[in-house]
Amino acid sequence: MIRQHGQCARPGRFRHRGIGRRLLVLVMLLPGFASAESDLDRLHAGIVRYALDTGDLPRAVLMARTLTGDDAAFLRARVAYASGRRALAIQSFASLASGPQAQPRAALLLARARVAQGHPDAALPWFRQVAARGFGSARQEALYAIATQQRLAGDSEAAGRTLAAMEPGYWSALGYQNLATDYANNDHSSARALVALRVALAMVGAETDPSRARDLRDRLLLQAGYLSYRSNDFDKAVGFLSKVSLEGPVTPEALYFHGLALSAQGNQRAALQSWHRAKKFPLAYPGASDAWLGTGRGYDLAGYLGQAGEAYLAANAAFESEQVTLRKLTDTVRAQGAYEALVANAGASEGAWFLSGSGTLRQPRQAYLMAFLEDAGAQAAVARLATLVGLEARVSRERQDLGVLAAELRRAGRSGAPGLDRVTQALTRHSALLEDMTSALGALQKASGAELDRLALAFLGEQDRRMKVASDKTEQQIAHLYDYLALQALPEQAP
């Protein structure tokens, strides 16, 4: 959601943030502003980094032209890559990474670019260079990428050795989780997978970002609980799953399997409590629809057949209602576009859904947005359109600022100030350029919006089919229950 900036209502006064920023840059260029040339270089480099990190691409492109310090070549390559000049950026990264003063940070960005191009083998030597010469998060990411390539090549032992060389934290925990997934898929026993998951849980404890650590920890506990349940080790499954936080995207699925493990132990009452908790979450989350079905099954196993029938009927009504919601959301996407229907209306500005509070997890539209953004293609489509929307808003503000400035110049022109004609002509040319940019951005938005709509409609169609399958299951359970009750009601035949 783009924040709108209105003009000041007071006559004779105006706020021109764009002019203020340009004046600040001009002042910084005056002799004596910085104590030394290197200070000014570092200041310019800091402005470019901040612009890149905050998505202010126009400012990054503008300021990159004035860079002359040690980081000038590297930052200009980053700006080139962010602005779409990928070939030039990759050439610059390669030059910086293989020069006499090889830069691990350039090698890392080059490796990422190769992976994005679909050439992970070409990225591997650069990841190895970062692992050998880099430090901190860059080295951790490089080692993780190397271990991933080793895993995909089928060499789990080599991947394990690479992961063992990593420092505790997010990247190492993620690597051991992937290793555990390989073990679970390839081994008959879940022993090695559970060991890898325990190591991952120990590693994630060193992560300094609390939200990222909590999310990964919940996913690790869910995976360990599921593997334990699949191995019929129900006590261990309950132990893992009971540690999952009660306010997270994987909470409904964890509660569902927690209920299954308790039910397998014969504790139907506790199982029903877990499933009732999971039912409070939107049906978009994995495990929520299963919990509705599990509630009916739990009453059935406990011997409360009447309540089981009521639970199945309630589940069927919930699934049919969700299908209506999905179809309305599909119509909204077709009418308004996926970005407006899913992203803006869900309250997640520019796709930053991960910044939302835990209370939004209970909102159905937010839940579908989060499920939609689990796909990397959907993430890229939303990010691309959000960038274009932000650029159009930026250009629109610049046009408004130019209009205010032109009005002030016309007012000054009436007092006979010299040289204003030339400035006014320059403003007119700039305004025409901004108008052309607005048209170009509008065309790009239309194309990107169409691609995002296609992905969103396919996702919503799949969700609708999932609800249809769940509804069919409840109808089958209701039919079986009624058949059983009918048989119980028949009089016993004499021998």
Side-chain angles (χ1 to χ4, degrees):
M1 188 183 302
I2 304 302
R3 182 181 300 172
Q4 300 295 326
H5 295 278
Q7 295 182 9
C8 183
R10 296 184 181 180
R13 297 183 62 187
F14 65 96
R15 291 182 301 171
H16 195 301
R17 291 168 47 178
I19 291 179
R21 289 193 294 262
R22 294 187 186 98
L23 287 176
L24 176 61
V25 173
L26 291 174
V27 171
M28 290 187 299
L29 293 173
L30 292 175
F33 177 81
S35 60
E37 184 180 358
S38 59
D39 294 335
L40 189 58
D41 292 338
R42 285 192 291 270
L43 180 61
H44 284 175
I47 294 174
V48 173
R49 287 194 196 92
Y50 181 79
L52 287 170
D53 293 341
T54 56
D56 192 353
L57 190 56
R59 175 166 297 280
V61 172
L62 176 65
M63 292 299 299
R65 300 171 184 171
T66 64
L67 291 174
T68 57
D70 296 336
D71 287 344
F74 175 71
L75 290 174
R76 276 197 290 267
R78 282 189 61 188
V79 170
Y81 191 85
S83 60
R85 294 171 292 167
R86 302 294 170 85
L88 174 62
I90 289 174
Q91 182 180 0
S92 300
F93 288 145
S95 176
L96 292 169
S98 57
Q101 295 180 341
Q103 298 185 17
R105 55 183 181 173
L108 179 61
L109 294 182
L110 177 58
R112 289 178 184 173
R114 293 302 188 193
V115 171
Q117 289 178 327
H119 304 299
D121 293 338
L124 193 56
W126 301 110
F127 278 128
R128 293 191 184 280
Q129 177 178 319
V130 178
R133 300 183 181 182
F135 58 90
S137 179
R139 181 174 183 272
Q140 293 288 91
E141 181 182 347
L143 288 171
Y144 168 79
I146 293 170
T148 299
Q149 290 297 315
Q150 292 167 336
R151 280 195 315 101
L152 295 177
D155 195 348
S156 298
E157 292 185 4
R161 289 192 297 269
T162 301
L163 293 173
M166 297 178 66
E167 297 293 329
Y170 177 82
W171 287 109
S172 56
L174 197 61
Y176 277 107
Q177 183 191 30
N178 292 336
L179 195 62
T181 301
D182 289 346
Y183 290 152
N185 292 334
N186 299 328
D187 296 354
H188 293 292
S189 170
S190 60
R192 283 204 305 172
L194 286 172
V195 169
L197 287 173
R198 288 186 182 277
V199 175
L201 284 168
M203 293 291 168
V204 79
E207 172 58 33
T208 57
D209 185 337
S211 60
R212 187 163 73 165
R214 181 174 59 251
D215 180 74
L216 181 55
R217 182 175 181 272
D218 284 348
R219 294 179 187 275
L220 292 170
L221 289 169
L222 172 61
Q223 191 172 351
Y226 169 74
L227 289 175
S228 300
Y229 172 79
R230 195 178 68 176
S231 302
N232 295 326
D233 194 342
F234 304 122
D235 288 335
K236 190 179 293 183
V238 170
F240 282 123
L241 295 168
S242 62
K243 297 176 183 177
V244 176
S245 67
L246 294 178
E247 291 292 343
V250 302
T251 301
E253 193 171 10
L255 287 170
Y256 170 66
F257 283 113
H258 186 256
L260 284 182
L262 290 169
S263 178
Q265 291 177 322
N267 192 348
Q268 305 304 330
R269 184 181 183 86
L272 286 168
Q273 290 177 345
S274 291
W275 290 328
H276 277 301
R277 282 182 172 180
K279 284 165 55 179
K280 295 178 181 179
F281 285 80
L283 289 168
Y285 293 115
S289 60
D290 296 318
W292 281 87
L293 292 167
T295 302
R297 179 61 176 167
Y299 282 125
D300 188 0
L301 292 175
Y304 301 106
L305 300 183
Q307 288 177 286
E310 292 177 0
Y312 284 131
L313 288 172
N316 193 56
F319 297 152
E320 290 180 350
S321 175
E322 193 70 8
Q323 285 182 283
V324 173
T325 299
L326 283 166
R327 287 162 191 167
K328 288 182 178 179
L329 186 55
T330 299
D331 292 340
T332 305
V333 169
R334 291 196 175 103
Q336 300 179 4
Y339 187 82
E340 184 69 23
L342 284 174
V343 181
N345 288 348
S349 175
E350 298 185 3
W353 55 272
F354 48 84
L355 297 178
S356 302
S358 60
T360 59
L361 294 175
R362 305 299 177 95
Q363 299 176 7
R365 191 166 295 197
Q366 180 79 10
Y368 280 114
L369 173 63
M370 295 179 71
F372 178 56
L373 292 179
E374 289 284 339
D375 179 70
Q379 290 182 28
V382 170
R384 182 167 53 249
L385 187 53
T387 300
L388 292 172
V389 170
L391 287 174
E392 185 183 42
R394 173 73 178 270
V395 172
S396 177
R397 289 196 300 269
E398 291 288 340
R399 291 181 65 186
Q400 290 179 1
D401 291 343
L402 281 178
V404 175
L405 180 59
E408 289 295 318
L409 289 175
R410 284 194 297 270
R411 186 178 297 111
R414 289 196 292 269
S415 63
L420 287 179
D421 290 342
R422 195 171 43 187
V423 176
T424 303
Q425 292 174 3
L427 287 176
T428 302
R429 289 193 299 270
H430 194 180
S431 180
L433 177 61
L434 290 177
E435 187 174 352
D436 293 341
M437 290 176 63
T438 301
S439 300
L441 287 170
L444 290 173
Q445 276 193 53
K446 185 177 180 180
S448 298
E451 173 62 15
L452 181 59
D453 292 349
R454 183 187 67 80
L455 294 173
L457 290 172
F459 166 77
L460 292 174
E462 181 60 31
Q463 295 298 311
D464 185 68
R465 286 188 290 273
R466 186 172 65 87
M467 286 297 103
K468 181 66 170 62
V469 170
S471 181
D472 291 343
K473 287 182 180 179
T474 57
E475 292 176 357
Q476 293 171 7
Q477 292 296 331
I478 292 170
H480 291 161
L481 184 60
Y482 284 167
D483 289 343
Y484 176 77
L485 292 174
L487 289 174
Q488 290 293 103
L490 292 175
E492 294 185 2
Q493 297 181 357

